[in-house]
Amino acid sequence: MLVLITYDVNTETAAGRTRLRKVAKQCVNYGRRVQNSVFECLLDQAQSLLLKEKLSEIIDNEVDSLRFYYLGNNYETKVEHIGIERGIRADQTLIL
Amino acid sequence: MLVLITYDVNTETAAGRTRLRKVAKQCVNYGRRVQNSVFECLLDQAQSLLLKEKLSEIIDNEVDSLRFYYLGNNYETKVEHIGIERGIRADQTLIL
């Protein structure tokens, strides 16, 4: 299923930037970064729970927030993009 | 239906910050800002098309991007939040 993960952090502090990098590092293992703080990940139920647990441990609950949007398996018609493109689709394979 | 709108802009420039403010101004008329560049809007089909048109006119296609995620009417179980809360639910009425 497609899980959209959005992340809010004050990156004015070095600690905030470190947390952002750590969140991104976890997310890119499962999908792609479509915007600065928006990740699209293709996960099964177990991966979803595991990633949520990992990200919860990284963020500072007092100042940061994470949101998870569960878009299911038929997500192609549920997403629209306008403007500059970043990265590749989460389910797209790169042949090098 | 719930439409999630995510927005990416380089706010290092004054022009970028102005575009971000304009996008936010349009979106808050229809819902709430849940994270810095993430808006949840409750829209019908006509409103959705109108808002998309307005936002497309504001952004700079060369450097900015907008993404629309259509979460339908039964979205309550599709959204999860961790960390600091910002604003109120899109369908929540404030009684003052």
Side-chain angles (χ1 to χ4, degrees):
Chain A
M1 63 176 169
L2 184 69
V3 183
L4 182 74
I5 302 171
T6 65
Y7 179 69
D8 214 358
V9 70
N10 185 340
T11 51
E12 282 170 8
T13 68
R17 287 191 290 276
T18 301
R19 291 197 302 275
L20 184 64
R21 272 197 300 276
K22 285 185 180 174
V23 166
K25 202 175 164 185
Q26 289 298 330
C27 292
V28 292
N29 288 332
Y30 297 98
R32 63 160 185 157
R33 191 175 201 165
V34 290
Q35 288 179 337
N36 198 33
S37 299
V38 181
F39 303 89
E40 286 182 0
C41 301
L42 287 174
L43 308 170
D44 60 31
Q45 197 65 26
Q47 288 171 322
S48 179
L49 286 169
L50 186 68
L51 183 56
K52 196 164 66 180
E53 199 184 300
K54 281 181 183 172
L55 297 181
S56 302
E57 281 168 12
I58 295 168
I59 69 159
D60 178 345
N61 273 328
E62 300 293 312
V63 290
D64 302 337
S65 74
L66 284 167
R67 287 179 80 81
F68 299 84
Y69 296 90
Y70 302 97
L71 286 133
N73 291 316
N74 303 313
Y75 52 82
E76 298 242 332
T77 58
K78 296 176 188 163
V79 188
E80 223 170 322
H81 183 94
I82 295 171
I84 193 166
E85 287 270 6
R86 176 175 186 157
I88 53 163
R89 282 214 322 272
D91 58 353
Q92 207 173 336
T93 309
L94 264 187
I95 300 167
L96 299 172
Chain B
M1 64 176 166
L2 184 69
V3 182
L4 183 74
I5 302 170
T6 64
Y7 179 68
D8 214 359
V9 69
N10 185 341
T11 51
E12 282 171 8
T13 69
R17 287 190 291 274
T18 301
R19 291 196 302 276
L20 184 63
R21 271 196 301 275
K22 284 184 181 174
V23 167
K25 203 175 164 186
Q26 289 298 332
C27 292
V28 292
N29 288 332
Y30 298 98
R32 63 161 184 156
R33 190 174 199 164
V34 291
Q35 287 179 338
N36 198 35
S37 299
V38 181
F39 303 89
E40 286 182 0
C41 300
L42 286 174
L43 307 171
D44 60 31
Q45 198 65 26
Q47 288 171 322
S48 177
L49 286 169
L50 186 68
L51 183 57
K52 197 165 66 182
E53 200 183 299
K54 282 181 182 171
L55 298 181
S56 302
E57 283 168 12
I58 296 168
I59 70 159
D60 178 346
N61 274 327
E62 300 293 312
V63 290
D64 302 337
S65 75
L66 284 167
R67 288 180 81 82
F68 299 85
Y69 295 91
Y70 302 98
L71 287 133
N73 290 315
N74 303 313
Y75 51 83
E76 299 242 333
T77 58
K78 295 176 189 163
V79 187
E80 222 171 322
H81 183 95
I82 294 171
I84 194 167
E85 286 271 5
R86 176 175 185 157
I88 53 165
R89 281 214 323 271
D91 58 353
Q92 205 172 340
T93 308
L94 263 188
I95 301 168
L96 299 173

